[in-house]
């Protein structure tokens, strides 16, 4: 199912309190299953804070926001925090249309995300 | 744009086809004078419709046919628009059952039809006698496309 | 990419269709791992082929059919590539007469076939019995695509 | 033939010695006929130097380079000079493939173009 050579995860930076995951590419039905598996694995490490850098994600569809919702639920279950930052207007609008912007913490920059 | 123009894409029910369709839709929307936001809405709605055909109509089988037709149209107040037809040969379901869910809680699933309803000006599912499902949708440029 | 995938576009012989095809080709090339330069070459060659069908095959009539099929292939040394078929129902000409010109002087015209020959790894015109012209071309990723 | 609302010409700056034309958009079979008519008209003003800014031209095909060739021949006929600048790699490669880079003066920036 997962195609390793096609991962959207460009970089992972782990520190004591947080894991920052940098994504690059379109998060659509083609890539969501693998991204789901990878983020679930990262959530399994139970970082207190999981920050997702979406600045290099040009496009996301409902399978993408659905993937992030499921990861969010896992992170919430151990009382962790999940923050998204760097969303372009298109990606942000998908969260708005699906009314999921109410649930996620969405920041402009990594600095702001680090301070939440 | 005065003349009507029309493009048909025939793809396999493979998620790899989705970016290719998006590329075509994006360019056509730009040609018709859609702003960036409306072009994205159109692209997203078509993407969600195709994802549903792949997942529900064909239960994930990757080699089944899907036909997408994009046609330029002129709507109310002479606004240009793009009409979309998505045809499959998959499972037929009662169009009335194809509905988005309430978005009160945070969970995945049931978002695609809500997106289609929100971003398109018109949409209509039907079961053609020849089999499969037919989805017709239209989006016009400019005002009236407010999300919500 | 392991599985073969294939997309067919049916357009009218209208120059307005060209950006739409370019958008689809660009995305497919990116999915197959083409670098920016190779993706551009593929897009350009298809564009030139379609422009020739519009201008020569159909003498500029904008409402005639053109079918483009894009198929992922595996070439020499396991290199992935994209095979292209362009079919029209226009005037048939002897494939031997479809040639680029020498580029010694600065003038317009006669550049399209030269571009196709330069950027594609393979190309072949034929006259199918059913009428019109058929152009088959292939481009592979990576080395061997040097412009020459 | 020409669709005025669709012009690729974004800006025209005339000074004593030169006319600078800023193009924006794909120069393909759809847009070349109108661009041809517009540039021929500008060449008719016989500017000593005709500078074309192609920085906002993402894509050009052989109908586009053909158009520029014809304008070049007109400008040359009255001993004028035609200079292209700001070409991205894609557009530049079309001039290279068609071997027309030998005939045109191609510069990186407007400053360089102004000094030719
Ligand atoms: N093309 C289709 N063929 C069959 N059923 C469909 C199709 N599109 C949507 N449906 C039905 O409509 C429901 C709602 O779709 P959607 O809002 O996209 O949510 P999800 O796909 O996540 O369930 C689906 O669960 C499915 O039952
Ligand atoms: N699809 C086609 N149908 C018929 N004739 C064609 C086709 N494509 C190319 N040709 C012929 O090949 C010649 C060379 O084409 P090309 O190099 O693109 O230059 P140009 O189109 O500027 O003449 C054309 O002049 C035409 O006679």
């Amino acid at each position: 199912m997962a195609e390793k050579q096609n991962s959207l995860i460009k970089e992972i930076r782990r520190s004591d309190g947080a894991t920052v995951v940098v994504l690059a590419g379109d998060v659509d039905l083609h890539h969501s299953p693998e991204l789901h598996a990878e983020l679930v694995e990262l959530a399994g490490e139970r970082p207190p804070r999981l920050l997702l850098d979406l600045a290099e994600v040009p496009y996301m569809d409902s399978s993408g926001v659905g993937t992030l919702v499921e990861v969010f639920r896992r992170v919430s279950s151990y009382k962790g925090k999940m923050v998204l930052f760097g969303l372009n207007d298109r990606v942000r609008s998908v969260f708005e249309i699906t009314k999921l912007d109410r649930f996620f913490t969405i920041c402009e920059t990594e600095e702001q995300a680090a301070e939440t | 744009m005065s003349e009507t123009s029309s493009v048909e894409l025939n793809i396999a029910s493979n998620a790899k086809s989705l970016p290719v369709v998006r590329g075509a839709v994006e360019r056509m929307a730009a040609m018709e004078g859609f702003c960036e936001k409306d072009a994205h809405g159109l692209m997203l709605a078509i993407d969600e419709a195709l994802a549903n055909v792949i997942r529900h109509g064909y239960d994930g089988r990757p080699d089944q046919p899907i036909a997408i037709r994009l046609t330029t149209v002129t709507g109310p107040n002479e606004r240009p628009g793009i009409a979309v037809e998505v045809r499959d040969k998959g499972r037929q379901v009662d169009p009335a059952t194809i509905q988005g869910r309430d978005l009160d809680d945070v969970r995945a699933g049931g978002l695609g039809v809500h997106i289609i309803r929100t971003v398109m000006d018109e949409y209509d599912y039907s079961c053609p006698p020849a089999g499969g499902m037919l989805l017709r949708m239209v989006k016009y440029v400019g005002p009236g496309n407010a999300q919500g």
Side-chain angles (χ1 to χ4, degrees), chain A residues 62-63, chain B residues 48-58 86 88 90-95 97-101 107-116 125 132-135:
Chain A
S62 75
S63 75
Chain B
E48 296 294 340
L50 296 176
N52 278 347
V53 171
I54 293 171
R55 293 185 307 133
H56 303 300
Y58 289 128
V86 176
D88 65 59
R91 190 156 47 90
Q92 288 194 322
V93 299
D94 178 356
T97 65
I98 301 183
Q99 290 188 358
R101 63 170 176 88
R107 60 182 172 84
L111 302 174
V113 175
H114 174 79
I115 289 175
I116 292 171
Y125 280 97
M133 299 295 294
L134 167 61
L135 167 59

Side-chain angles (χ1 to χ4, degrees), chain B residues 1 3 10-11 21 23 34 57 60 63 74 81 141:
Chain B
M1 303 288 117
E3 339 95 83
N10 292 300
I11 62 169
V21 177
F34 279 56
D63 54 359
T74 306
V141 304

Side-chain angles (χ1 to χ4, degrees), chain A residues 1-14 19-28 30-47 50-52 54 57 63-64 67-68 70-72 74-75 78 82:
Chain A
M1 184 188 78
E3 300 175 306
K4 279 289 170 221
Q5 79 274 22
N6 252 337
S7 174
L8 294 179
I9 297 187
K10 192 183 163 190
E11 195 185 332
I12 301 173
R13 292 196 302 269
R14 292 180 179 81
T19 295
V20 180
V21 184
V22 182
L23 303 186
D26 288 357
V27 188
D28 65 0
H30 180 49
H31 287 105
S32 289
E34 180 179 7
L35 181 64
H36 182 258
E38 292 174 321
L39 290 180
V40 162
E41 202 176 313
L42 282 170
E45 300 172 3
R46 297 178 152 248
L50 184 62
L51 311 188
L52 292 196
L54 302 180
V57 172
S63 75
T67 292
L68 299 192
E70 291 190 7
V71 176
F72 171 81
R74 277 169 200 261
V75 173
Y78 65 79
M82 181 164 159

Side-chain angles (χ1 to χ4, degrees), chain A residues 26 28-30 59-63 65-67 69-70 72-73 90-91 93-94 96-100 102-104, chain B residues 15-16 18-19 22 26 36 40 43-44 47-48 51 54-55 103-108 111-112 114-115 118-119 147:
Chain A
D26 288 357
D28 65 0
L29 188 65
H30 180 49
Y59 179 83
M60 188 179 292
D61 70 8
S62 75
S63 75
V65 298
T67 292
V69 161
E70 291 190 7
F72 171 81
R73 285 154 66 96
R90 292 176 161 199
V91 172
S93 79
V94 182
E96 286 165 8
I97 294 168
T98 56
K99 303 200 168 81
L100 290 166
R102 295 173 294 169
F103 298 103
F104 283 96
Chain B
K16 277 180 67 178
L18 299 183
R22 291 202 299 273
E26 188 168 33
E36 152 84 11
H40 170 250
M43 205 160 71
L44 182 64
D47 213 37
E48 296 294 340
I54 293 171
R55 293 185 307 133
L103 303 179
D104 304 329
D105 56 351
V106 57
R107 60 182 172 84
L111 302 174
H114 174 79
I115 289 175
T118 305
V119 300
Q147 289 165 19

